[in-house]
Amino acid sequence: GAVVSQHPSWVICKSGTSVKIECRSLDFQATTMFWYRQFPKQSLMLMATSNEGSKATYEQGVEKDKFLINHASLTLSTLTVTSAHPEDSSFYICSASGQGLGYGYTFGSGTRLTVV
Amino acid sequence: TQLLEQSPQFLSIQEGENLTVYCNSSSVFSSLQWYRQEPGEGPVLLVTVVTGGEVKKLKRLTFQFGDARKDSSLHITAAQPGDTGLYLCGGGGKLIFGQGTELSVKP
């Protein structure tokens, strides 16, 4: 089945530094990638949608200069949290859709970000 | 803007009981998906419903898509402790999600 590999699975960083999270589609071409943020015991909040080769579309309230999304190829999308602060600590998950997946979407395993 | 309202948000039941989770919207969806998520992991797709009125079964789980394709439900028969987790309904071109249902099944 379709697999999305997300790395790192967890990261601790100092306040003010930047962190990059990668999502790779291993056996299909991800034409669209979604990035979500999730707080404990809560649902997934869509942050942005990216299509390969295009600028990401951010949801209302999400700072595009803080959460940089790059979808430069059909198999790789990255989310960079710039100048991270403790309030950015959260669980970040990517999801991909692509040819051959039908109506389904495949999720990465998530990244637990802790900013200290 | 498409929105999905999921209820209940929390459910704690005893093993063997039945339960139903609802996912409602004022918008029409071409399809809706149900996912289950374990702590610290990404959601795993359970089922996709596409046709209005469709009913799909996955062992003790029964999924239904409303005739107007604006709502869906998940029914679990004889819940087991292994069913514990966060259940999410999602759909739409931007893949939005309802609030989620945190299910706890006690032995």
Side-chain angles (χ1 to χ4, degrees):
Chain A
V3 176
V4 171
S5 176
Q6 184 171 346
H7 292 281
S9 56
W10 60 270
V11 58
I12 302 172
C13 71
K14 290 185 177 180
S15 187
T17 62
S18 295
V19 173
K20 180 183 285 189
I21 301 170
E22 291 189 352
C23 274
R24 293 180 183 272
S25 56
L26 300 186
D27 48 5
F28 68 100
Q29 294 185 327
T31 51
T32 302
M33 194 78 80
F34 303 96
W35 286 93
Y36 297 87
R37 183 173 180 175
Q38 185 178 33
F39 292 104
K41 304 291 187 181
Q42 294 187 21
S43 187
L44 280 69
M45 297 296 296
L46 180 65
M47 298 174 66
T49 304
S50 72
N51 294 295
E52 184 267 337
S54 302
K55 287 185 177 180
T57 301
Y58 290 81
E59 294 300 300
Q60 192 172 8
V62 177
E63 300 175 59
K64 62 180 181 180
D65 294 330
K66 181 169 187 61
F67 298 99
L68 301 179
I69 291 173
N70 184 286
H71 193 166
S73 78
L74 284 170
T75 59
L76 174 64
S77 180
T78 61
L79 165 66
T80 301
V81 183
T82 63
S83 187
H85 291 283
E87 56 266 30
D88 298 325
S89 298
S90 189
F91 193 56
Y92 293 88
I93 309 176
C94 64
S95 173
S97 67
Q99 289 186 337
L101 295 186
Y103 293 97
Y105 302 85
T106 300
F107 283 83
S109 53
T111 297
R112 170 71 59 193
L113 170 63
T114 302
V115 185
V116 298
Chain B
T1 304
Q2 291 182 314
L3 290 173
L4 285 169
E5 296 287 333
Q6 192 172 338
S7 62
Q9 293 186 36
F10 299 95
L11 196 53
S12 181
I13 61 173
Q14 292 295 128
E15 181 176 2
E17 293 183 9
N18 302 332
L19 66 113
T20 302
V21 178
Y22 300 93
C23 184
N24 297 298
S25 177
S26 58
S27 304
V28 174
F29 283 80
S30 59
S31 67
L32 280 177
Q33 292 87 42
W34 285 91
Y35 297 82
R36 179 167 171 246
Q37 185 182 22
E38 300 280 356
E41 299 179 10
V44 174
L45 179 67
L46 296 174
V47 77
T48 299
V49 286
V50 178
T51 306
E54 182 177 12
V55 176
K56 284 190 173 180
K57 291 192 174 184
L58 186 65
K59 295 184 180 179
R60 292 176 292 99
L61 279 60
T62 301
F63 305 85
Q64 188 164 5
F65 201 14
D67 291 340
R69 289 184 290 136
K70 292 183 178 181
D71 58 272
S72 182
S73 64
L74 157 61
H75 182 79
I76 301 179
T77 303
Q80 303 293 313
D83 296 327
T84 294
L86 179 66
Y87 290 82
L88 299 159
C89 68
K94 292 200 294 184
L95 189 52
I96 60 169
F97 287 89
Q99 296 92 329
T101 297
E102 185 71 37
L103 172 63
S104 174
V105 182
K106 301 186 189 311

